[in-house]
Amino acid sequence: MSFTSILRKSASALAPLALRSLRGHRNCHSAIFTALSHSRFQALVPSLSPFSRAHRFSTKSDESLLRVIESEIQCAEESDDHDQTEETPNNFPFEIEDKPGFQTITLKREYQGEEVTVEVSMPDLVTGEDDGDDDDSEKANQSSIPMVVSVAKGDGPCLEFGCTAYPDEIVIDSLSVKSPESSEDQIAYEGPDFQDLDENLQKAFHKYLEIRGIKPSTTNFLHEYMINKDSREYLMWLKNLKKFVAA
């Protein structure tokens, strides 16, 4: 399925979801944070009977916060696509590792003795209209998903690509060679800006990723997958908040 058809299919889902995130979630988030601020304010009010008044204020503010959270849970359950799952295409080349509670997923596969690992982050949803005509402005007004692609050969160094996937297009933002002996505190040299490399070298690296499964047909599916994951994780986050406040 092309991303164009996916966009048509998800236009009614993606835009409302993003708009709900920008409108409904913003309103509900505002209510939640207002309740939290109110709770902190009451905790600072002087009291002649510290224990009894503090307990009463705390209970009252917690009950108010709990009602707001429950309202948002109901809103999320009624309007978000938290219960939708995308059917993995038959030709999808990766195994998906999706752990609830995390905002990334990991893709893994082997390709001719290489281990290819992809860390996919939550989508950057954009619903605004295009304000310009150039390519940069066009991309700024498109939804995208950030990815980190690692290609390793045994225990030796690996190539790490920082990528951004747009509709039917994958942009390589950075490229570095990482050694397994490097510590997490050390930052590997990423070379010059990828867009400043020779055009033929850029095309060669895009082809390098494509034959390893990093292509639009893969990222288009991942876009829909991560939208649904975002809805599921948000609902789980709200329920965890409710459980803590109600305890």
Side-chain angles (χ1 to χ4, degrees):
M1 180 183 296
S2 69
F3 195 81
T4 302
S5 62
I6 289 180
L7 282 181
R8 292 196 186 103
K9 168 179 172 289
S10 61
S12 60
L14 176 58
L17 172 61
L19 288 174
R20 286 196 299 270
S21 298
L22 296 175
R23 296 177 182 172
H25 288 177
R26 180 180 299 170
N27 293 338
C28 295
H29 291 172
S30 177
I32 290 176
F33 292 129
T34 299
L36 284 170
S37 300
H38 182 62
S39 175
R40 289 195 294 268
F41 172 76
Q42 288 185 328
L44 296 175
V45 175
S47 174
L48 296 177
S49 303
F51 178 78
S52 60
R53 290 197 177 185
H55 177 73
R56 186 173 72 244
F57 287 159
S58 176
T59 301
K60 183 177 179 180
S61 61
D62 287 358
E63 289 176 351
S64 175
L65 174 59
L66 195 58
R67 286 194 297 271
V68 175
I69 295 175
E70 289 173 341
S71 175
E72 173 62 1
I73 290 175
Q74 181 180 358
C75 177
E77 289 178 334
E78 292 176 351
S79 59
D80 283 348
D81 301 326
H82 60 87
D83 57 349
Q84 290 191 10
T85 56
E86 286 293 320
E87 183 178 352
T88 305
N90 293 330
N91 60 347
F92 191 75
F94 292 93
E95 175 185 348
I96 301 176
E97 295 182 1
D98 184 355
K99 297 180 179 179
F102 292 86
Q103 65 176 31
T104 60
I105 64 171
T106 302
L107 312 179
K108 290 186 177 181
R109 74 168 297 193
E110 289 189 2
Y111 175 79
Q112 296 185 356
E114 300 173 346
E115 183 177 340
V116 183
T117 306
V118 186
E119 183 178 90
V120 186
S121 300
M122 290 295 184
D124 179 14
L125 299 177
V126 178
T127 59
E129 296 181 355
D130 192 356
D131 296 326
D133 297 326
D134 58 19
D135 291 341
D136 290 338
S137 178
E138 182 179 353
K139 284 187 174 62
N141 287 279
Q142 291 180 330
S143 298
S144 61
I145 50 174
M147 305 186 305
V148 177
V149 182
S150 298
V151 181
K153 297 181 178 181
D155 298 328
C158 71
L159 290 184
E160 185 174 282
F161 297 82
C163 303
T164 304
Y166 294 95
D168 290 327
E169 180 183 7
I170 299 170
V171 174
I172 300 176
D173 302 310
S174 62
L175 169 60
S176 60
V177 182
K178 291 200 169 182
S179 171
E181 290 82 17
S182 300
S183 68
E184 294 183 357
D185 296 332
Q186 295 177 314
I187 302 177
Y189 173 64
E190 296 184 348
D193 189 284
F194 189 83
Q195 306 305 321
D196 292 337
L197 294 177
D198 179 81
E199 185 176 348
N200 290 329
L201 186 56
Q202 292 184 46
K203 291 181 179 178
F205 274 120
H206 276 285
K207 188 66 177 180
Y208 179 89
L209 290 180
E210 181 182 346
I211 64 176
R212 286 161 176 78
I214 310 302
K215 49 190 177 181
S217 61
T218 299
T219 57
N220 294 344
F221 163 75
L222 290 174
H223 195 111
E224 288 294 304
Y225 186 97
M226 295 305 290
I227 288 173
N228 293 332
K229 177 176 172 63
D230 186 42
S231 295
R232 293 193 302 271
E233 295 297 342
Y234 177 62
L235 182 58
M236 183 187 301
W237 178 77
L238 286 171
K239 290 182 176 180
N240 288 337
L241 280 179
K242 176 184 175 181
K243 185 183 299 183
F244 178 85
V245 174

